[in-house]
Amino acid sequence: MNAPVLIQPNRIAGKGRLSVADPMRFTFDGKTLPALKGDTVASALIANDIHLVGRSFKYHRPRGIVSAGPEEPNALLGIQRDVARHTPNIRATVQEVYDGLEATSQNRWPSLKYDIGEINDVVSPLLSAGFYYKTFMWPRKAWDKVYEPFIRNAAGLGKAPVHKDPDRYSSQHEHCDVLILGGGVAGLSAALAAAKNGARVIICDEQPTFGGALHFDTDIVIDGMDGFSWAQQAMAKLAAMDNVRVLTRTTAFGYYAQNYVGLIERVSEHLSAPSADLPRERLWEVRAKKVIIATGSIERHMVFANNDRPGILLASSARTYLNHYGVAVGKNVGVYTANDSAYAAAFDLKEAGINIPAIVDIREHPNAELVAKAKALGIRVLTGHGVMAAGGKLRVSSMSVAPVNGGAREVIPIDSIIMSGGWTPSVHMFSQSRGKVAYDAAKSRFVPGVYAQDCVSVGSCNGTDDLSAIIDEAIKAGEEAATYVRPNTSQVSISIEANGGNAWEGTLIGAAPGAEAGKVVKAFVDFQNDVTAKDIRLAVQEGFQSIEHVKRFTTNGMATDQGKLSNMHGLAIAAEALGKELPEVGLTTFRAPYTPITFGALVSHSKGALFEPTRKTPMHESEVAIGAVFEDVGNWKRAWYYPKGGEDMHAAVNRECKTTRTNVGMFDASTLGKIEVVGPDAAEFLNLIYTNPFLKLGVGKLRYGIMCREDGFIYDDGVVARIAEDRFHVTTTTGGAPRVLNMMEDYLQTEFPHMKVWLTSTSEQWAVIAVQGPKSRDIIAPFVDGIDLSAEALPHMSMAEGTICGVPTRLMRMSFTGEMGFEINVPADYGRAVWDTLYEAVEAADGCAYGTESMHVLRAEKGYIIVGQDTDGTVTPHDAGLDWAVGKKKTDFVGIRGLKRPDLVASGRRQLVGLKSIDGRSVLEEGAQIVEDPNQPVPMKMIGWVSSSYWSENAQKPIAMALIEDGFNLMGKKLYVPMANEVIEVEVCKAVFVDEEGGRLHG
Amino acid sequence: MDNSVKLRRSLPLAEKAFGASGVSVTSMGAGYRCSLRVGADDVAALSQALGVDLPQTPKTSARSASRIAMWLGPDEWSIYDSKNNPIDDLKNVDVACAGVDVSHRNTAIEVSGSLAAGVINAGCPQDLSLEVFPVGACSRTILGKVEIVLCRTKADIFHVECWRSFSPYVFEFLSTAAKEQSALAAR
Amino acid sequence: MLLIHCPYCAEERPETEFAHAGEAHIERSTEMNALTDEGFSKFFFYRDNTKGTTFERWRHIHGCGRYFNAARDTVSDKFLTTYKAGEPKPDLSKLVDDQTNAGAKS
């Protein structure tokens, strides 16, 4: 870039690790600002002396940047790449600046500085905890017109994108011996130890660079170099090892059963022009034999009046901005603390030339060495003091300081306050693993207690404070993990020398002096959800005892930051109000995700063409070529009908049905399920599975079979062909194929394991072309070799093997139309060629192809059922009029006992019958209910429902099938189908509408 | 009419191929496949008939010339042969078994290159490290939303089999993952 | 996603390769016809739905295809053991002991 480098007022020359040689530009609310490569949006904004970045959710209070990491509750921005790539609620402290990045503030109108919603802050007494539940209850009438539109308008943070997400998201299953969560001192030490001992290691860290606290803590020296440099060297060393995978910008968000851990890698969020082939994010689904949790700890804020003013930050975050990004948070920085860490931050700022007017420490006797050092640096230390309130609105301008035990206030002008209430160990991952935390009363913190999975916590997330202790603990964990996974590997010891680390003492949880019970001040516990100390006390006062209820009533910890800063404070305040010890009140549950993740990453590849498989038959393209319209049947695309010359569906189906009955039609039946049942006991097995008898079925013969469940209800049906003594070709319904095979396998493996019979799915081995109609034999005859097609040699329900068009076929004489017909099975790769050849002949004979709709009509004309349409899981073979298919002499089959249950043999069961519309033209609606008396009061007694209904061009009338109570005894009876606008009169009849004698089958 | 000439097989993926740096996804030619089921007592007889020792250790395969026998279950093998139909060798076998020709049911895709395992792991939840899934290992498993049979023929070559109607999905899945992982590796 | 040890494949495999198949050790009578209505109800409709250790069937449907049995704790969602179809129910007291010892080790 040749443009002049703009001034960044808070960038301190010579501080930080970014290079001025890498300038970048980004915009914030339309204003172009300079930044350096490696900046986060937050560090770049602060460099430009911008702290005001958003408005809070409820009160619309001006808010600034609080932290320098993923715990950030306030600085949520919309980040926009282009019109389709707008992401709301991105934490400015996590988003890296790329050249040209566009950031916008949220939850403000018309502008960040003048926001109309700020009225909420003034009327805040009306918006106390639980205000949603209280305020909008009355008057009832106001709900639709006033409250709901108001809430909808005010609800939510940021603007959701309206365009389809154009980005790629990738996913990856990965396995390792040791997964290490966190790349600070502890994580890196553990990784080095585990990797040196031969373990397959994955180490991840959410930041772009490894180091964790070493980003800010410049007092630490490890192996003779400064801590941060050591971390980079350690990472490089790990990355060079074959058995280690190093993942930066990768957050462990969920810890599930058996060490199954979800990681999200932000791949291209930091790039200004990522390649189109690069996914935006990658989801890692890691299965680890051992997990080492090294997630560190999070500094807490101080809960005091107006602690949310822009310019008030966590002390160690201010130190990160200075030591890593080279940015001072202000020129005149006040310090408010209960913990030693703020001293280190104050010293670094002071040494960088920033004025530190005072360190306000609520402790009477903080560490004397630190106090002495402060004084030596010329910093005033007010021990036993508190900040009673912060002054200023769009930016903090002063702090009002007074002794903790009461006394006069002193107002100290400042432009920033850094604070520390101590540190909260990050037990999120441990807790998600179902481990139980234990309370460390001495240090007012929860640490890992009882483990539930194969994992171990090391470092400050484990409550270990001393640097050497952390390193020793981590090395031990790494070595032990490696040995645990690979017990036969000889052990290698590593040692890491470190010094300079400080175990920071001091803690405050709950409200600071000046914000205690009874004080009417806004001292925020949860910044993002605008929960104050007062709100939590109010919840307890209103009777909420459980911390889970307090959380939901106040919304404390329910924002996108999930209470990383607020949980401990909220808990302490609730415990105090309840008069209980803190561990008795207990922590709220930690749930995945640790930080927000995109739906895109979870969906990953399962969208667009990969949303689900689209299954096509071998003949699909030929059907497309002749104009088929397709319907979805499960995952299959099936030819629905074949319109010609502008026909609508109705006209096409009428023509197809008519042509098939009078001439010839061909149909793609390839999706039918097929199972090859082979073995000496094959017939015996089928005899047990089907209601029909199968032992005596001759070779070359077919039989229609019904399969029940043990309860006696129809499960599936199909035609079974006996290919050889020990080999059957079984067909199932299209949708039933997988479950029928599963049920057969179940019986075979667990109930009849003595049988020598095996099942193989051949659904996709065979393409199936049905050729049906009086001319079907004439059509196929010229192409068939080795099979006598005559009615005598190949009668209805028989089959033979031979060739068609020169390819092997299992040719079955069968019919689902009621016409003479053949189902030609050929190996699938030949399906299309055979179809094309036959179609040419069919067309030449003025025949046609017909689709699934015509197939449905043709079979309904004959009263053939479709399982799942004319049955609903409560229909027995008898109910369906298929009693003849149940072997009366059989001593066992699946369902034999169920069929004898009292309810199944009782009278009045719904039975499958035909229905004629008396007016001769009304086509009933499938699913329509049937009543005996249309004039009875509603709710009427319904005696059945229409299962299939079509216009029959062949019968020249509407036809229907219905399940009606006691239907077999109602032949000729008039019943009624009440519809929205009319009542249709129907007459019960046999469910056969064409060729009742069935002579046409045998041509 | 002369029906003696055999029609050509139209493979579901035709000659589809995708290549990126570090990985290729290529549909394989028309092979022969047999689903073989037999009880433990008769394994030896079938091994002899097929000319390949049916492996009896889970997740393993055995090869002989153009033939590969993959263990799929305790009484189940998939026999793949690029040249000769194994079903022909079972015609005169005199033991209770089930040999079913599934040459057309399945189709095969080869995934090769240094990124191959990672590309398959985009949708397959098994550990495909060489330690756990060595050369010769094979298994029925999952890829995305469908079932596949996976066989590692070389350190960086996998043979992926699936039912023909799922093959466009499998090919699209693998080539999408290949494109992304190639771009990721190039970072 | 759980890891389930398939007794036929002799290794742990991801849950997505498996299908749950209901309570284990419910035997279909060889004399179905002789069952009373009550006997049939018990066989077909009634299930224990245990809180604690339950014996259940799984099928390695996208693996070796075998049905097998498992003892699983429905509270902790941990498998105590898996075993082949047809093998007897393992001794529960021993299993729970093993699990406790294993837990103490790690």
Side-chain angles (χ1 to χ4, degrees):
Chain A
M1 250 198 286
N2 295 322
V5 177
L6 298 170
I7 301 297
Q8 300 175 42
N10 287 341
R11 191 81 70 180
I12 309 290
K15 293 296 288 183
R17 305 183 180 107
L18 313 188
S19 167
V20 288
D22 300 320
M24 289 186 166
R25 277 157 203 272
F26 73 109
T27 67
F28 176 61
D29 282 347
K31 190 178 171 200
T32 300
L33 296 167
L36 297 179
K37 186 176 180 193
D39 260 326
T40 61
V41 172
S43 69
L45 286 168
I46 297 175
N48 288 286
D49 203 32
I50 294 170
H51 276 276
L52 170 63
V53 292
R55 290 272 174 169
S56 70
F57 184 53
K58 192 159 102 181
Y59 300 137
H60 287 243
R61 283 170 69 102
R63 287 288 163 80
I65 297 155
V66 176
S67 74
E71 68 270 33
E72 178 61 33
N74 269 352
L76 303 183
L77 303 175
I79 303 293
Q80 175 152 325
R81 235 178 233 286
D82 55 44
V83 68
R85 290 179 173 88
H86 172 87
T87 313
N89 301 325
I90 295 293
R91 288 153 297 162
T93 53
V94 170
Q95 174 68 51
E96 294 167 62
V97 173
Y98 54 79
D99 208 27
L101 175 143
E102 292 174 31
T104 46
S105 57
Q106 302 184 152
N107 217 31
R108 84 289 187 276
W109 187 84
S111 79
L112 189 53
K113 283 187 181 161
Y114 306 101
D115 171 37
I116 219 134
E118 196 178 302
I119 188 74
N120 287 3
D121 195 23
V122 180
V123 300
S124 63
L126 302 176
L127 301 176
S128 59
F131 82 105
Y132 293 103
Y133 312 116
K134 296 170 185 163
T135 314
F136 300 113
M137 299 306 290
W138 185 89
R140 176 69 189 83
K141 268 202 261 180
W143 179 255
D144 297 348
K145 297 276 185 294
V146 184
Y147 299 148
E148 190 180 334
F150 170 76
I151 293 172
R152 288 207 181 281
N153 193 36
L157 270 177
K159 292 257 179 297
V162 291
H163 291 76
K164 190 177 156 183
D165 186 346
D167 283 321
R168 289 175 178 278
Y169 297 84
S170 200
S171 67
Q172 187 80 23
H173 293 275
E174 186 67 300
H175 295 74
C176 66
D177 296 338
V178 186
L179 170 65
I180 296 160
L181 311 178
V185 175
L188 286 168
S189 304
L192 288 166
K196 282 266 168 62
N197 280 286
R200 281 165 75 191
V201 172
I202 298 175
I203 178 168
C204 68
D205 193 278
E206 57 199 350
Q207 305 244 34
T209 42
F210 274 39
L214 299 170
H215 280 88
F216 64 79
D217 197 336
T218 45
D219 298 333
I220 291 175
V221 175
I222 305 178
D223 286 349
M225 64 191 99
D226 77 89
F228 185 80
S229 302
W230 172 83
Q232 305 322 300
Q233 204 184 69
M235 177 185 154
K237 207 185 281 177
L238 287 166
M241 294 171 82
D242 284 342
N243 56 329
V244 181
R245 186 186 287 283
V246 173
L247 295 169
T248 55
R249 299 186 176 91
T250 303
T251 306
F253 67 84
Y255 196 132
Y256 306 94
Q258 289 164 289
N259 278 351
Y260 186 56
V261 183
L263 316 177
I264 194 79
E265 178 186 4
R266 290 171 295 281
V267 173
S268 64
E269 291 291 79
H270 63 291
L271 302 174
S272 82
S275 142
D277 292 346
L278 209 53
R280 179 186 180 199
E281 293 177 325
R282 167 156 56 169
L283 174 70
W284 292 87
E285 299 177 54
V286 180
R287 183 76 70 173
K289 296 201 175 75
K290 193 94 182 178
V291 176
I292 297 178
I293 304 172
T295 46
S297 50
I298 293 172
E299 198 168 25
R300 283 188 306 276
H301 62 293
M302 298 286 281
V303 179
F304 62 100
N306 297 337
N307 61 345
D308 62 327
R309 291 309 186 200
I312 305 181
L313 296 88
L314 299 171
S316 298
S317 298
R319 212 177 166 205
T320 301
Y321 287 120
L322 183 69
N323 292 338
H324 187 73
Y325 299 103
V327 170
V329 294
K331 299 271 181 247
N332 195 29
V333 179
V335 182
Y336 184 24
T337 190
N339 181 271
D340 298 342
S341 65
Y343 286 80
F347 300 159
D348 285 355
L349 282 163
K350 180 76 182 177
E351 281 162 1
I354 303 302
N355 187 39
I356 307 290
I359 296 175
V360 181
D361 194 324
I362 63 162
R363 297 172 295 179
E364 290 292 346
H365 304 291
N367 182 316
E369 266 180 55
L370 293 174
V371 175
K373 182 169 180 192
K375 287 187 174 156
L377 284 167
I379 304 173
R380 186 180 165 204
V381 180
L382 294 162
T383 59
H385 277 63
V387 173
M388 299 297 137
K393 193 170 148 199
L394 297 179
R395 171 81 179 259
V396 65
S397 60
S398 67
M399 56 183 188
S400 176
V401 178
V404 168
N405 299 326
R409 289 193 179 198
E410 179 192 351
V411 175
I412 302 173
I414 40 82
D415 63 2
S416 175
I417 298 174
I418 62 173
M419 59 188 164
S420 177
W423 295 78
T424 308
S426 285
V427 294
H428 304 75
M429 284 294 122
F430 166 77
S431 183
Q432 278 191 33
S433 81
R434 290 193 174 188
K436 293 225 174 356
V437 292
Y439 190 61
D440 171 5
K443 296 192 169 172
S444 307
R445 62 189 181 181
F446 287 98
V447 292
V450 181
Y451 283 84
Q453 296 202 38
D454 249 341
C455 59
V456 59
S457 298
V458 296
S460 70
C461 73
N462 194 36
T464 308
D465 300 315
D466 177 75
L467 180 63
S468 298
I470 288 173
I471 291 173
D472 291 348
E473 175 176 86
I475 290 176
K476 182 164 170 276
E479 286 173 357
E480 282 182 0
T483 318
Y484 167 78
V485 176
R486 295 173 188 273
N488 301 324
T489 318
S490 60
Q491 224 168 303
V492 183
S493 293
I494 67 162
S495 78
I496 297 167
E497 283 298 317
N499 50 60
N502 295 301
W504 292 315
E505 298 291 333
T507 183
L508 177 73
I509 50 173
E516 56 270 77
K519 295 277 168 45
V520 185
V521 294
K522 283 209 178 78
F524 287 90
V525 174
D526 181 321
F527 290 112
Q528 197 180 120
N529 271 357
D530 276 337
V531 181
T532 64
K534 194 162 72 72
D535 290 326
I536 291 175
R537 292 186 197 108
L538 180 65
V540 172
Q541 194 187 320
E542 296 201 358
F544 292 94
Q545 305 258 328
S546 152
I547 193 67
E548 295 284 358
H549 291 157
V550 170
K551 167 178 170 171
R552 278 152 190 85
F553 188 66
T554 60
T555 71
N556 188 53
M558 286 171 68
T560 57
D561 61 313
Q562 289 283 288
K564 291 186 180 62
L565 298 184
S566 65
N567 278 347
M568 287 304 290
H569 287 315
L571 180 57
I573 295 165
E576 191 192 0
L578 286 162
K580 286 187 183 173
E581 290 302 311
L582 203 119
E584 284 177 61
V585 180
L587 269 179
T588 52
T589 312
F590 291 94
R591 292 195 174 86
Y594 171 70
T595 50
I597 58 172
T598 62
F599 283 114
L602 295 177
V603 168
S604 183
H605 293 115
S606 300
K607 59 178 186 177
L610 295 176
F611 176 66
E612 59 179 4
T614 300
R615 305 177 71 183
K616 294 174 179 171
T617 73
M619 288 84 95
H620 185 88
E621 295 309 322
S622 290
E623 291 159 11
V624 170
I626 57 173
V629 175
F630 292 86
E631 70 167 335
D632 290 333
V633 179
N635 287 332
W636 287 104
K637 293 282 175 202
R638 297 196 71 181
W640 195 10
Y641 58 98
Y642 296 84
K644 284 197 162 167
E647 281 176 333
D648 61 8
M649 175 164 155
H650 187 67
V653 168
N654 285 348
R655 173 182 50 75
E656 291 169 14
C657 289
K658 191 97 193 160
T659 307
T660 303
R661 285 227 187 280
T662 55
N663 185 356
V664 64
M666 61 189 279
F667 173 72
D668 179 358
S670 303
T671 63
L672 279 187
K674 297 162 215 75
I675 301 166
E676 192 119 323
V677 179
V678 186
D681 297 323
E684 192 72 50
F685 175 70
L686 293 175
N687 207 45
L688 281 164
I689 291 295
Y690 285 90
T691 62
N692 317 58
F694 271 95
L695 298 179
K696 290 183 183 159
L697 183 69
V699 171
K701 296 296 179 201
L702 313 181
R703 180 160 292 163
Y704 169 74
I706 296 195
M707 188 182 293
C708 287
R709 305 193 311 173
E710 290 288 2
D711 57 8
F713 295 133
I714 295 176
Y715 190 64
D716 204 70
D717 69 351
V719 170
V720 178
R722 191 165 201 165
I723 308 287
E725 273 303 317
D726 63 350
R727 186 176 292 255
F728 291 81
H729 176 117
V730 170
T731 67
T732 73
T733 57
T734 296
R739 62 182 155 85
V740 168
L741 183 58
N742 192 55
M743 180 171 125
M744 283 186 176
E745 278 289 352
D746 193 347
Y747 278 101
L748 187 54
Q749 290 182 30
T750 67
E751 301 294 351
F752 317 132
H754 55 280
M755 289 190 163
K756 275 203 184 269
V757 51
W758 294 276
L759 313 171
T760 305
S761 172
T762 49
S763 298
E764 297 220 42
Q765 167 68 13
W766 302 103
V768 185
I769 302 164
V771 181
Q772 302 278 310
K775 284 201 204 155
S776 55
R777 184 188 288 119
D778 301 342
I779 292 294
I780 66 168
F783 306 102
V784 174
D785 285 315
I787 301 173
D788 181 348
L789 293 176
S790 68
E792 297 71 36
L794 195 68
H796 179 54
M797 296 305 267
S798 62
M799 59 87 59
E801 292 181 277
T803 64
I804 186 163
C805 306
V807 302
T809 179
R810 286 178 178 175
L811 189 77
M812 311 206 175
R813 171 89 195 264
M814 58 184 278
S815 171
F816 198 45
T817 59
E819 296 302 320
M820 172 173 75
F822 300 86
E823 291 198 358
I824 301 158
N825 290 264
V826 290
D829 290 346
Y830 299 126
R832 192 174 174 192
V834 175
W835 168 277
D836 288 345
T837 307
L838 294 179
Y839 183 72
E840 210 174 291
V842 163
E843 229 193 359
D846 292 326
C848 69
Y850 65 93
T852 50
E853 189 64 21
S854 293
M855 177 269 280
H856 277 108
V857 177
L858 290 164
R859 64 89 205 178
E861 287 174 347
K862 293 294 298 173
Y864 299 153
I865 68 161
I866 289 185
V867 173
Q869 175 162 348
D870 303 298
T871 67
D872 64 358
T874 68
V875 175
T876 66
H878 179 76
D879 297 339
L882 299 167
D883 223 9
W884 59 266
V886 180
K888 302 294 179 297
K889 292 184 196 149
K890 290 171 70 169
T891 55
D892 198 7
F893 60 84
V894 175
I896 191 166
R897 180 60 187 80
L899 282 171
K900 299 192 173 100
R901 291 189 291 145
D903 285 350
L904 270 62
V905 296
S907 62
R909 291 189 56 78
R910 286 182 177 170
Q911 293 160 339
L912 193 68
V913 294
L915 288 182
K916 289 180 201 163
S917 300
I918 288 177
D919 65 8
R921 55 175 174 78
S922 295
V923 178
L924 303 173
E925 219 167 274
E926 287 176 356
Q929 298 288 329
I930 298 157
V931 301
E932 241 179 316
D933 171 12
N935 299 314
Q936 61 185 304
V938 284
M940 297 188 189
K941 179 181 174 356
M942 293 171 294
I943 60 166
W945 50 278
V946 178
S947 61
S948 292
S949 173
Y950 313 92
W951 170 260
S952 166
E953 187 69 4
N954 288 308
Q956 281 295 307
K957 65 183 181 193
I959 60 169
M961 290 154 82
L963 282 156
I964 298 177
E965 281 174 23
D966 209 22
F968 297 155
N969 292 322
L970 299 180
M971 290 300 146
K973 188 173 166 74
K974 197 187 273 185
L975 296 172
Y976 301 88
V977 180
M979 301 303 293
N981 303 318
E982 59 177 337
V983 173
I984 301 168
E985 284 183 304
V986 294
E987 186 189 307
V988 180
C989 61
K990 277 180 77 176
V992 188
F993 302 91
V994 165
D995 185 27
E996 199 165 325
E997 299 72 35
R1000 303 176 67 93
L1001 284 169
H1002 300 288
Chain B
M1 198 168 296
D2 179 16
N3 292 327
S4 61
V5 182
K6 271 202 174 181
L7 296 173
R8 217 176 69 107
R9 287 172 68 168
S10 333
L11 297 174
L13 290 176
E15 320 251 290
K16 270 188 130 168
F18 174 84
S21 166
V23 60
S24 299
V25 180
T26 317
S27 65
M28 293 171 71
Y32 295 99
R33 300 170 181 88
C34 168
S35 163
L36 183 65
R37 308 291 296 271
V38 66
D41 296 345
D42 297 320
V43 168
L46 288 186
S47 293
Q48 197 178 9
L50 288 163
V52 57
D53 281 335
L54 296 175
Q56 303 206 60
T57 306
K59 228 173 79 171
T60 61
S61 63
R63 304 191 76 126
S64 162
S66 59
R67 190 161 290 186
I68 176 162
M70 295 176 262
W71 185 99
L72 292 186
D75 67 349
E76 181 179 2
W77 291 263
S78 173
I79 317 294
Y80 177 84
D81 193 315
S82 54
K83 295 199 179 97
N84 308 301
N85 197 340
I87 206 84
D88 296 338
D89 297 334
L90 296 174
K91 278 181 182 149
N92 300 316
V93 171
D94 193 25
V95 297
C97 68
V100 177
D101 188 345
V102 290
S103 302
H104 295 236
R105 181 187 72 178
N106 292 14
T107 196
I109 297 168
E110 187 181 271
V111 185
S112 61
S114 56
L115 299 175
V119 164
I120 294 165
N121 265 145
C124 175
Q126 281 202 32
D127 186 349
L128 300 182
S129 63
L130 272 165
E131 194 178 357
V132 177
F133 205 92
V135 173
C138 66
S139 172
R140 191 153 44 203
T141 182
I142 292 284
L143 183 88
K145 296 187 176 182
V146 306
E147 181 180 290
I148 57 165
V149 170
L150 186 64
C151 186
R152 184 174 222 150
T153 54
K154 292 201 175 119
D156 58 358
I157 301 181
F158 290 85
H159 180 129
V160 178
E161 288 244 337
C162 64
W163 288 6
R164 56 177 295 129
S165 73
F166 293 116
S167 62
Y169 172 91
V170 171
F171 187 88
E172 177 71 18
F173 194 103
L174 291 170
S175 50
T176 300
K179 184 183 279 184
E180 290 166 359
Q181 298 212 8
S182 191
L184 282 161
R187 283 184 296 174
Chain C
M1 184 165 61
L2 299 173
L3 279 178
I4 301 173
H5 185 269
C6 172
Y8 294 94
C9 293
E11 68 174 13
E12 285 189 322
R13 292 286 192 85
E15 186 185 347
T16 46
E17 289 185 357
F18 297 83
H20 189 261
E23 197 172 311
H25 300 291
I26 295 168
E27 241 173 280
R28 185 180 189 273
S29 169
T30 49
E31 300 290 333
M32 283 302 282
N33 254 332
L35 282 186
T36 60
D37 284 339
E38 204 195 342
F40 179 80
S41 287
K42 284 227 165 94
F43 159 69
F44 190 75
F45 295 110
Y46 286 80
R47 294 296 180 265
D48 286 344
N49 198 22
T50 315
K51 180 180 180 181
T53 305
T54 188
F55 292 92
E56 62 192 9
R57 306 188 319 136
W58 287 81
R59 185 178 180 205
H60 196 185
I61 187 165
H62 300 300
C64 68
R66 296 288 100 187
Y67 281 86
F68 61 90
N69 293 326
R72 184 176 60 94
D73 188 315
T74 57
V75 178
S76 68
D77 209 13
K78 282 185 177 156
F79 285 92
L80 306 176
T81 190
T82 57
Y83 50 103
K84 292 177 179 176
E87 289 180 356
K89 251 188 199 184
D91 180 355
L92 198 58
S93 57
K94 195 173 171 305
L95 279 180
V96 174
D97 280 357
D98 288 353
Q99 190 76 8
T100 317
N101 293 337
K105 253 186 284 167
S106 56

